[in-house]
Amino acid sequence: MADEAAVDGASPLRAVVEVVVRALVDQPDAVRVTESVRRGMTVLELTTAPGDMGKIIGRQGRTAAAIRTLVAATAERHGQRAQLDIRD
Amino acid sequence: MPLTTDIADFVQKVITAMGLTLTTSVEESPEGTRINLVGDDGGVLIRRGGEALQALQHVVATTFRKQLGEDNRIIIDCNGFRRDKDAEIRQMAKHMAGKARSSGMPQEMGPLNPYERRIVHLAISEEPGASSESIGDAFMKTVIISAQK
């Protein structure tokens, strides 16, 4: 199963975004998360099916803020700094 | 209830992905179904006023909104953080009710989120001679506690 592989994969940051976002959207198979490092900061780029973008952002951006908080807590746990870019 | 199991499984999946080791247990309470997370890694969820715990709560509520419906509440707690905070809010509400009754002046609670406002209303509904009302805009709401006329 695709999301099981993500959990077992090397990056907890990517795993957190994938697990949470796939649960929130209508089209979990369209969720893509890429990871790169820029000046010591892990940058995660999230893309979803266009129709699912609103679900990820949420009312007044609350869902996006919650995902970012979970990413930040995970990064802190692993001694990293991270940023989540939601691509629309 | 299979839905509760689904939710507990999802919570476990998220915290495992975060790299946290916490024991999950489910408990039915008057406020709703509680999912209790217990363990030394809980600090990650509790620090900064329970910011990450609140984020997890929001993600779970949003993900399962349709299945949960209106009256079915899920509360995620970690090492008793939420329980203690709820007790504090309840105590504060009762204190404010006493002040409203003795002074006759309406008392204002601090900024409260919807879950916290609900705790205040429930606490005040058990207080004789006091009433409560939510006021404020979408960003900053609070509850006013007044002596009942």
Side-chain angles (χ1 to χ4, degrees), chain A residues 1 3-4 7 12-13 15-16 19-20 23-24 55 59-60 62-63 65-67 69-70 73-74 76-78, chain B residues 10 13-14 16-21 41 44-45 47-48 51-52 54-56 58-59 62-63 65 114 138-139:
Chain A
M1 214 163 85
D3 57 339
E4 293 290 342
V7 176
L13 292 169
V16 167
V19 167
V20 169
L24 288 164
K55 292 200 171 64
R59 261 195 308 169
Q60 292 159 359
R62 280 191 63 199
T63 304
I67 299 168
T69 299
L70 292 175
T74 308
E76 197 179 332
R77 161 84 179 169
H78 294 87
Chain B
F10 174 66
K13 207 167 155 188
V14 175
T16 301
M18 290 176 78
L20 308 179
T21 306
D41 286 349
V44 175
L45 298 178
R47 66 174 66 118
R48 282 188 289 277
E51 196 181 58
Q54 186 59 42
L56 183 58
H58 176 79
V59 164
T62 308
T63 301
R65 181 161 290 150
F139 289 96

Side-chain angles (χ1 to χ4, degrees), chain B residues 29-98:
Chain B
S29 80
E31 297 87 39
T33 304
R34 299 187 79 93
I35 295 175
N36 296 312
L37 306 172
V38 176
D40 291 343
D41 286 349
V44 175
L45 298 178
I46 292 168
R47 66 174 66 118
R48 282 188 289 277
E51 196 181 58
L53 184 62
Q54 186 59 42
L56 183 58
Q57 170 90 48
H58 176 79
V59 164
V60 169
T62 308
T63 301
F64 293 95
R65 181 161 290 150
K66 281 207 189 90
Q67 293 104 298
L68 279 167
E70 278 290 305
D71 306 315
N72 243 324
R73 277 163 210 277
I74 287 279
I75 302 138
I76 303 173
D77 202 352
C78 181
N79 293 346
F81 175 86
R82 190 70 255 179
R83 187 196 57 219
D84 294 347
K85 213 172 159 195
D86 292 358
E88 221 170 88
I89 293 167
R90 232 172 266 127
Q91 203 179 7
M92 178 66 133
K94 293 190 177 202
H95 173 72
M96 293 294 207

Side-chain angles (χ1 to χ4, degrees), chain A:
Chain A
M1 214 163 85
D3 57 339
E4 293 290 342
V7 176
D8 296 335
S11 167
L13 292 169
R14 231 182 102 185
V16 167
V17 177
E18 287 179 348
V19 167
V20 169
V21 172
R22 284 190 177 136
L24 288 164
V25 297
D26 289 333
Q27 291 173 256
D29 292 342
V31 173
R32 295 281 176 276
V33 183
T34 64
E35 191 175 15
S36 58
V37 179
R38 259 180 248 155
R39 286 188 232 101
M41 162 119 54
T42 305
V43 180
L44 299 155
E45 287 191 354
L46 168 67
T47 42
T48 67
D52 280 333
M53 204 43 91
K55 292 200 171 64
I56 292 312
I57 293 164
R59 261 195 308 169
Q60 292 159 359
R62 280 191 63 199
T63 304
I67 299 168
R68 290 203 164 96
T69 299
L70 292 175
V71 167
T74 308
E76 197 179 332
R77 161 84 179 169
H78 294 87
Q80 287 176 269
R81 288 195 309 133
Q83 175 190 320
L84 175 65
D85 287 346
I86 300 172
R87 314 283 296 196
D88 54 8

